[in-house]
Amino acid sequence: MDRFLVEADRKPVGIAIRVRGGFRFVASDPEFRSIDSKIFPRARALASSVAELARAQRARLANDALH
Amino acid sequence: MTSISPYVAESLARVWAALHADLRPRLSAADTAYLQRVLLDTDDDLVAHLLAEKLAQASRAPADAPVVDAVHIGSRVRFAIDGQEAVAVLVHGRAEAPGFIGAASRYGAALVGLLPGQAILWPHHDHRLVEVRVLVVSPYDRTDKAATPLQARLTCASG
């Protein structure tokens, strides 16, 4: 099995599939659609992109809560 | 340390997989999930690809069936890295305390799932492949003081 669960803030947001050329991210959470199907040569880069999107989502939610 | 290209790491992993085709590590559901997180967190592309190969060929124990014969988080392991023997308890994280080895450390991740007598080649932080051999696996007894310090020689998964 070359598929790995990808989590953000302890919630599953998609899977990483090992493919030729690196790791493809397949989003299960629509918030991560912008990187859906993207191939990352480095597994760490995939995880960093997911973490970055999760941070942006948190900031947006916090901002919405203030207004 | 210059890192190797992810494409070279991918090619090396295919060679590694061919060399270890009969490995069949045994992983519990918890250890599988843990190694997946280590794979996504490591800075070392070769370790990431080798972990992916290891996960791909592992046999999985049911979630309610503990793995007792293979190295798992919580077991006490006697092992040898490049011929140097050590004893440590496998724990979560990148432990550096004497007598403990973190499953997220470079060699901790290599040991998880291996049976006594099994050996694999694993990249040292300088990318030289060294032999990691499991000698004895036993349950961790908290009163046991026999674990020996080895962290001075070991580095974490990020190098």
Side-chain angles (χ1 to χ4, degrees), chain B residues 4-157:
Chain B
I4 60 173
S5 135
Y7 304 104
V8 172
E10 190 180 337
S11 299
L12 288 173
R14 281 198 290 273
V15 175
W16 184 93
L19 289 170
H20 297 80
D22 299 325
L23 189 64
R24 303 283 294 164
R26 270 184 223 169
L27 295 173
S28 67
D31 288 345
T32 299
Y34 196 81
L35 284 187
Q36 288 180 1
R37 286 199 291 275
V38 173
L39 184 162
L40 290 170
D41 194 45
T42 181
D43 286 327
D44 189 315
D45 294 318
L46 185 53
V47 168
H49 278 282
L50 297 193
L51 280 177
E53 291 289 354
K54 194 171 159 180
L55 285 161
Q57 62 166 271
S59 63
R60 306 277 155 77
D64 57 351
V67 172
V68 292
D69 48 354
V71 178
H72 57 279
I73 294 174
S75 60
R76 179 178 179 274
V77 195
R78 177 175 289 279
F79 59 97
I81 296 174
D82 214 10
Q84 291 188 299
E85 281 193 31
V87 178
V89 176
L90 197 75
V91 295
H92 284 100
R94 297 175 175 178
E96 295 294 330
F100 294 89
I101 181 169
S105 70
R106 177 177 295 274
Y107 291 112
L111 289 166
V112 177
L114 300 186
L115 294 161
Q118 283 190 316
I120 59 172
L121 294 172
W122 204 252
H124 197 54
H125 64 85
D126 60 3
H127 300 132
R128 182 172 55 94
L129 290 177
V130 297
E131 186 190 74
V132 177
R133 179 176 292 277
V134 172
L135 304 171
V136 180
V137 180
S138 54
Y140 173 44
D141 175 358
R142 286 177 185 277
T143 60
D144 181 7
K145 305 290 187 198
T148 56
L150 72 155
Q151 277 66 31
R153 298 199 305 275
L154 301 182
T155 54
C156 68

Side-chain angles (χ1 to χ4, degrees), chain A residues 1-7 10 15-16 18-23 39-48, chain B residues 3-7 10 13-14 32 36-37 39-43 45 48-49 52-53 55-57 60 158:
Chain A
M1 183 185 71
D2 275 356
R3 291 169 165 77
F4 316 107
L5 183 68
V6 180
E7 295 177 323
R10 296 184 174 272
I15 55 170
R18 192 158 167 256
V19 296
R20 191 169 284 269
F23 298 85
I39 296 175
F40 296 84
R42 296 189 152 95
R44 181 67 186 267
L46 186 157
S48 297
Chain B
S3 63
I4 60 173
S5 135
Y7 304 104
E10 190 180 337
R14 281 198 290 273
T32 299
Q36 288 180 1
R37 286 199 291 275
L39 184 162
L40 290 170
D41 194 45
T42 181
D43 286 327
D45 294 318
H49 278 282
E53 291 289 354
L55 285 161
Q57 62 166 271
R60 306 277 155 77
S158 62

